[in-house]
Amino acid sequence: MKKYYLTTAIDYVNGAPHIGHAYEKILTDVIARHRKQRGEDVYFLTGTDEHGIKIQKTAAERGITPQQMCDENAAKFEQNWKELEIDYNQLIRTTSLEHTQIVQKIFKKLLENGDIYKHSYTGLYCAGCESFLNPRDLDENGCCPDHKKKPEEVTEENYFFKLTKYKDKIIEIIKNDETNFIRPDFRRAEVLNQLENIEDISVSRSVDSVSWGIPVPGDESQVIYVWIDALSNYITALGYDTENPSENFKKYWPADVQVIGKDILKFHSIYWIAILMALGVELPKNLLAHGWITIDETKMSKSLGNVISSKSVMDEFELEHPDAFRYFMVTAAPIGKDGNYSDDDFKEKVNAHIANNIGNLLNRTLNMLVKYFDGNLEQDFISNDLKSAATDTLDDIKTKFDKFEVAEAAQSIVNLADTANKYVNDTAPWSLAKEGKMQECAKVLYNVLETMRYIAIMLSPYCPNISQKIWEQLSLEGNVADFKLDELNWGEMKLGKIAEKSTISPVFLRLDSEIAGDKKKC
Ligand code: MSP
């Protein structure tokens, strides 16, 4: 069985999760679920990043210990992923003993190999980035362009990682890379540009300035500064060990895709790659940098008070499961581009795509099957009018997922439903029935229901609950998510009794519909 290892960024736990964090986890979850449908042995890692000055400061402001705050907020992330049905295999916390011990071993190995050295340094430190900034990267007010705050001038004796030693090798890899491991490939130029100006990086802080971190082995005066700690999670979670890597590590590493936001691509495409080279560990196959989610076209920020969580959206619309939210988020932007959330866009899109396009198609077809054929599908109904549309869509979504074009793949599924709707309108099975052309009418219904089976399977990574409802309305047994794409062939729709009047119900209620009544807000 082919393995597929995918990871998300690990979230800072100095606050609660918001829809930006949720976007990344849903995106990764949809890819993971699709890979399972391809018959692969998927391992999906997510986690929380729990050390550093931001966490130390926020905990101090709240009068609690950093560990208390980490425990409290990590639980909120975990709860949020549960609500969104993020089906990960492991959630790593960087304060766990296993992680801490392996990070110390990694640090020690890098030190022994001469990749880490001690050096006195004065630099501009941005607590928001947990990083020293280069003066040329500041904005016109001398502030960090991301955090809009003036970095602090800090002089310290720290440990440094010899990033410059790996610069040429990384440039060469990226330039000659035919696999385009930096995704989407329009980000390549940006990384190459950043590589031009890199310097060795500080990988520790003095305990006088930051105490909340993993101690440097053999030097109690320093803690390991976040990036070596945080980035290593991708291998420590699998049981990487500098001397004796675990079976799990040997099985799943290198990662097939590491999903991250565009703001941390530099840390992954340069620092992480260099650390792996220094450790002699294979490089990840893909780094997928997604765009940012804004709210009503505005960047989310605590000061603007516009930070929203998936829970607030689900509560506002009284959603019984996360499917509509998952669908909206993951289709909010083409891969790598920024996306936007607004209540109106959310309602409009899920109503149009899921309730109207897909839901109504199923509903009206099943109703006709009951009305004209007592809910039965027979052997001689089988027909191929929509065969190529459905099978081409299946091929297309596979190709798109291989390129991480998750929103684009969803659009292909919706286009297939459009085609089927148009087919129903053009063939007008109700007229065929009226004219007594029952064989022709039956064939139309067969084509649509068989297409619906394809749609349920392909939609399942995005909307696991709605797909299962479609599956059950089609009278199919088992779990739609378990169906493997390789086994999906046209013409294999179950025959016999499919529907009864009493069992037909909408698979997704319009968010502002009369059926939803006053239960749904709009
Ligand atoms: N802890 C670091 C990552 C370390 S990975 C070894 C970090 N944490 S974070 O909490 O600030 O962000 C976690 C992830 O969420 C990042 O990939 C980041 O890009 C993503 N997002 C945070 N806000 C976001 C949006 N508004 N929109 C989309 N993704 C965003 O960075």
Side-chain angles (χ1 to χ4, degrees), residues 25-27 29-34 36-37 81-87 314 320-328 330 354 413 455-473 478-483 507-508:
K25 303 329 176 246
I26 299 170
L27 180 65
D29 186 59
V30 173
I31 299 172
R33 287 173 185 259
H34 174 84
K36 283 184 199 158
Q37 293 185 308
W81 304 156
K82 209 167 163 190
E83 285 155 9
L84 291 171
E85 298 184 26
I86 308 297
D87 195 14
M314 286 183 58
E320 55 172 326
H321 51 62
D323 289 25
F325 182 76
R326 288 171 60 100
Y327 180 83
F328 180 80
V330 95
I354 306 180
I413 302 170
I455 290 175
I457 293 167
M458 294 187 292
L459 191 67
S460 139
Y462 302 84
C463 299
N465 301 283
I466 293 172
S467 300
Q468 184 63 26
K469 278 193 190 165
I470 300 175
W471 195 247
E472 284 163 16
Q473 297 263 313
N479 200 336
V480 61
D482 295 337
F483 201 97
V507 289
F508 180 70

Side-chain angles (χ1 to χ4, degrees), residues 9-12 18 20-21 23-25 49 227 230-231 233-234 260-264 268 290-293 300:
I10 51 172
D11 303 307
Y12 286 130
H18 57 60
H21 300 121
Y23 169 63
E24 178 175 284
K25 303 329 176 246
D49 190 354
W227 284 102
L231 290 164
N233 92 86
Y234 303 127
I260 50 169
K262 63 180 185 181
D263 55 318
I264 53 171
H268 285 76
H290 61 73
W292 269 50
I293 298 294
M300 267 186 284

